[in-house]
């Protein structure tokens, strides 16, 4: 997913949001039954805070959660490093997009669409009432399409700590990329927690009723 993103950015593709979403959709359908297909530490944290798990599996331990988050970030760094190899050492800094914006605006943009991604993921994968076994991948991928096309020019549309840290690492954490990676990642994780809180507020009641009926 990270490799798809950075290759599209380096190639100046006008369809980056669609390409990254297609990558996420494909990987979600391919691996949801294997790993849960989070691919995003913010999503993994949201699932943990929600107290639920995909397909009624027992909740993961804190160690398992942080191990998953570490591996997601490592995968992001590996994907970003691979694009620097493809582009003979070329890289770009992590930071706001092409439209001038202060950090408050950038953080809000990243927060809102990361929240949307995490909330929709929870609604369609772990809820007894709104879980979907067919369209969940399309809906989750659509969140990326909407987010990246809406705020890509403002914040870059990372929406994922693994993306932020991967891009910053490939640029050797220079030109402010280290600071940006920290700010972005914290914003994404807070958005994931908020997504879980809103999910519990909107779904715990109806899920209890649905479970009682069965």
């Amino acid at each position: 997913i990270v490799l798809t993103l950075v290759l599209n950015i380096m190639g100046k593709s006008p369809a980056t949001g669609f390409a990254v979403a297609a990558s996420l959709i494909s990987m979600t359908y391919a691996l949801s039954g294997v790993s849960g297909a989070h691919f995003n530490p913010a999503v993994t944290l949201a699932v943990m805070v929600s107290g639920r798990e995909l397909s009624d599996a027992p909740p993961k331990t804190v160690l398992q959660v942080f191990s998953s988050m570490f591996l997601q970030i490592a995968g992001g760094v590996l994907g970003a490093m691979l694009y620097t190899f493809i582009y003979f050492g070329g890289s770009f800094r992590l930071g706001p997009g092409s439209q001038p914006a202060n950090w408050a605006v950038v953080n809000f943009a990243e927060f809102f669409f990361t929240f949307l991604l995490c909330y929709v993921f929870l609604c369609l994968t772990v809820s007894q009432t709104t879980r979907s076994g067919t369209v969940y991948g399309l809906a989750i991928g659509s969140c990326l399409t909407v987010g990246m096309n809406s705020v890509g020019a403002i914040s870059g549309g990372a929406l994922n700590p693994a993306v932020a840290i991967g891009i910053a690492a490939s640029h050797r954490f220079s030109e402010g990329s280290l600071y940006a990676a920290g700010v972005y990642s914290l914003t994404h994780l807070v958005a994931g927690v908020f997504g879980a809180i809103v999910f519990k507020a909107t779904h715990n009641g109806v899920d209890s009723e649905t479970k009682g009926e069965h």
Side-chain angles (χ1 to χ4, degrees):
I1 294 169
V2 174
L3 181 60
T4 301
L5 170 64
V6 293
L7 287 178
N8 272 266
I9 292 174
M10 290 295 285
K12 295 180 172 55
S13 169
T16 299
F18 293 100
V20 177
S23 176
L24 177 60
I25 291 168
S26 301
M27 295 301 290
T28 296
Y29 283 121
L31 296 174
S32 61
V34 178
S35 66
H38 296 176
F39 306 122
N40 186 333
V43 170
T44 299
L45 184 60
V47 172
M48 183 188 77
V49 174
S50 76
R52 314 279 191 93
E53 193 50 72
L54 186 66
S55 301
D56 299 318
K60 293 181 179 179
T61 65
V62 174
L63 179 60
Q64 288 174 320
V65 168
F66 282 100
S67 296
S68 295
M69 294 168 70
F70 172 78
L71 291 173
Q72 290 158 7
I73 292 170
V77 172
L78 180 61
M81 291 297 184
L82 184 55
Y83 97 85
T84 64
F85 172 77
I86 294 172
Y87 273 89
F88 302 101
S91 65
F92 57 91
R93 70 175 183 86
L94 174 69
S98 58
Q99 298 299 318
N102 60 42
W103 276 104
V105 174
V106 168
N107 286 335
F108 177 77
E110 290 288 317
F111 175 89
F112 180 79
F113 285 102
T114 305
F115 155 76
L116 176 67
L117 173 65
C118 294
Y119 179 73
V120 169
F121 183 96
L122 293 173
C123 291
L124 295 180
T125 60
V126 304
S127 169
Q128 296 284 344
T129 307
T130 57
R131 177 185 297 169
S132 170
T134 53
V135 302
Y136 68 99
L138 291 171
I140 293 166
S142 295
C143 292
L144 268 190
T145 303
V146 171
M148 295 185 70
N149 284 317
S150 297
V151 300
I154 298 172
S155 66
L159 314 181
N160 184 338
V163 171
I165 295 172
I167 292 173
S170 69
H171 201 57
R172 300 178 182 84
F173 295 107
S174 61
E175 297 185 71
S177 288
L178 177 61
Y179 173 78
V183 173
Y184 276 48
S185 297
L186 180 60
T187 299
H188 298 153
L189 294 175
V190 171
V193 172
F194 186 67
I197 293 171
V198 174
F199 168 77
K200 292 171 76 171
T202 58
H203 281 69
N204 275 4
V206 293
D207 281 352
S208 296
E209 293 175 6
T210 301
K211 190 173 183 180
E213 291 173 359
H214 294 285

